[in-house]
Each structure stands twice: as C-alpha cells, then as structure tokens.
Amino acid sequence: TGGIVNLTGALNNTGGTLVLDGNTGSWRMSGGSITGGTVTMTRGAELLPQATSANLLSNVTVNGDIRMNAAQGGLRVNGLVLNGTLRLIASNANLGIEGNQTWTSGTISFEGTSGSQSLTMVSAGVLTLAGGSIQVQSGNANIGVGGYWWSAAMTLANTSTINVLGGTANIVNLSNGSSVTQGGGTLNLSGTWSNGGTIAVSAGTLNLGGNFTTAGVGTITNTGGIVNLTGALNNTGGTL
C-alpha cells in the first residue's frame, strides 16, 4: 500500500491475465519482461519502465496506460496490442520497436517535460501505424532518430493519424498514406519522405527537410501556420 514493486525477472503470462489495481499498485519494470497474455490495469495502476534497455513487452495485450516518467526509461515492444496510452514524459525516455511491426491500437503520446523523448527501432525496419495514433503534445519528440537506447534505421508508414499539437516533432523517413495534422509546435520532416495522404497545418511551423519529390509532396494545406522549405525538392519533370 505504500512501497515499490519492481519487475526484474521474466514473467511468462501466456494464456493468463495479470491484473494491476488499487491493491497491487503500479509495477516498475526494472529490467523485467512480460511475455504473452493480457495485462489489465485499473484504479490508477500503471506499468512504469525504468532506466534500462532490458525492459520488454512481447506479444502482450495491455489494457491501461504505460507511463515512461523515469529518466532514460527504456521499453522494447514486440507484438504489443495497447488499449490505452503510452506516455513518453521523462528526459531520454525511449520506446524501442523490435523490427518490422504493425501498431493497431492505442496512442503513443509525447508529453515531454525536459530533454527529448524517442520512438526508435531496436533493429532496422518499418513501423506501420495502422490504428491508434501518435500525438505530440510537448517536449522534443524524436521519431526514427535520436534514441537514447536504440537508433536503428526506421521508416514510419502512417495509415492512421499523427497529431502535432505542441512541442517539436522530428520525423525521419515518413511515408504518409493517411492524415498528419498540425495544430501547433514545430514539425520537422527529414530523411527520405513522401506524402500520399494529407498534411494539414492550422498553426505552428512545418519544415520540409530531407529529400523528396514533387509527386511525393501530395496534399499539404496551410490555414494558419508557416511552411518552410529546408530540404532538397526534386522537381524534375514536375510542376510545383
């Protein structure tokens, strides 16, 4: 009722349900792993990854929130189904994706209070955002670059929703097939990127960096923000 519970070992939850609630309190992931099954959290209980690269959620369904509020907190995920919000808050908090993954539900929310927060690859691959969303509310959000624990090559394939509401979002190698909305803050696109969907800017600053083509610009609307060309646009044979 008033202490600390650390997960430091390997929990095989296959076929089971782990319930964290007001009686159990939150669990700190301190080098531990959970494999399989379901983790359900109620009454304010959360999973709290600590400052290590060993924390792992593998093929787990999580009903509830994961709060990364420890400096240098690391969490690797493989086959995670999230019915809740994963919050990146502390300086150098780092969510690591293990190879090619499809994100189908839940929200990855950047809520930085200091330093930077990162969504990066443990091993090179494509993260497909097929459901749920990525939201940048504050802080310095690095997506595909600048991870504290991991920084393998990453492409973000968006077929869902990315919202930039504040702070700074740095996205490398974006392949947008759906919706990116910007209502504030700064969005920096870099690497090699393309837009087959819509990027809608209503406030804030959008910096079009990296390498891209006229055909790859797609639909960009600006109703109240600033759009800067900072990268290399290949307009050969095209009309801008």
Side-chain angles (χ1 to χ4, degrees):
T1 57
I4 296 171
V5 178
N6 290 315
L7 176 62
T8 58
L11 170 60
N12 186 346
N13 191 44
T14 303
T17 299
L18 171 67
V19 177
L20 302 180
D21 56 21
N23 293 318
T24 65
S26 298
W27 279 16
R28 301 199 319 181
M29 297 187 70
S30 300
S33 65
I34 302 175
T35 300
T38 301
V39 178
T40 296
M41 295 172 285
T42 62
R43 296 170 59 189
E46 298 173 305
L47 286 175
L48 305 170
Q50 301 300 297
T52 170
S53 63
N55 299 320
L56 171 65
L57 294 175
S58 181
N59 297 313
V60 182
T61 296
V62 173
N63 300 319
D65 293 346
I66 301 170
R67 184 181 297 270
M68 301 187 69
N69 61 351
Q72 293 90 49
L75 177 64
R76 294 178 292 134
V77 298
N78 177 27
L80 173 66
V81 176
L82 177 64
N83 299 309
T85 300
L86 191 154
R87 294 185 162 89
L88 291 140
I89 299 171
S91 177
N92 293 320
N94 193 175
L95 173 63
I97 308 298
E98 293 207 321
N100 295 328
Q101 299 281 322
T102 299
W103 190 275
T104 59
S105 63
T107 299
I108 301 172
S109 181
F110 289 86
E111 304 172 11
T113 56
S114 64
S116 62
Q117 299 72 40
S118 303
L119 165 60
T120 54
M121 302 298 288
V122 177
S123 55
V126 177
L127 173 61
T128 300
L129 185 66
S133 65
I134 294 175
Q135 294 191 10
V136 179
Q137 301 190 49
S138 61
N140 189 36
N142 292 324
I143 301 175
V145 64
Y148 183 83
W149 295 108
W150 313 283
S151 288
M154 172 179 169
T155 295
L156 175 62
N158 177 43
T159 60
S160 188
T161 304
I162 299 171
N163 298 315
V164 179
L165 305 173
T168 298
N170 304 300
I171 304 179
V172 175
N173 300 334
L174 172 67
S175 175
N176 180 47
S178 185
S179 173
V180 176
T181 63
Q182 184 177 5
T186 299
L187 171 57
N188 299 313
L189 298 181
S190 62
T192 300
W193 63 269
S194 64
N195 174 36
T198 300
I199 300 175
V201 181
S202 60
T205 299
L206 169 62
N207 293 318
L208 304 177
N211 299 285
F212 56 105
T213 66
T214 303
V217 169
T219 301
I220 298 177
T221 64
N222 178 17
T223 57
I226 297 170
V227 178
N228 292 317
L229 175 62
T230 59
L233 169 61
N234 186 343
N235 192 44
T236 302
T239 300
L240 177 65

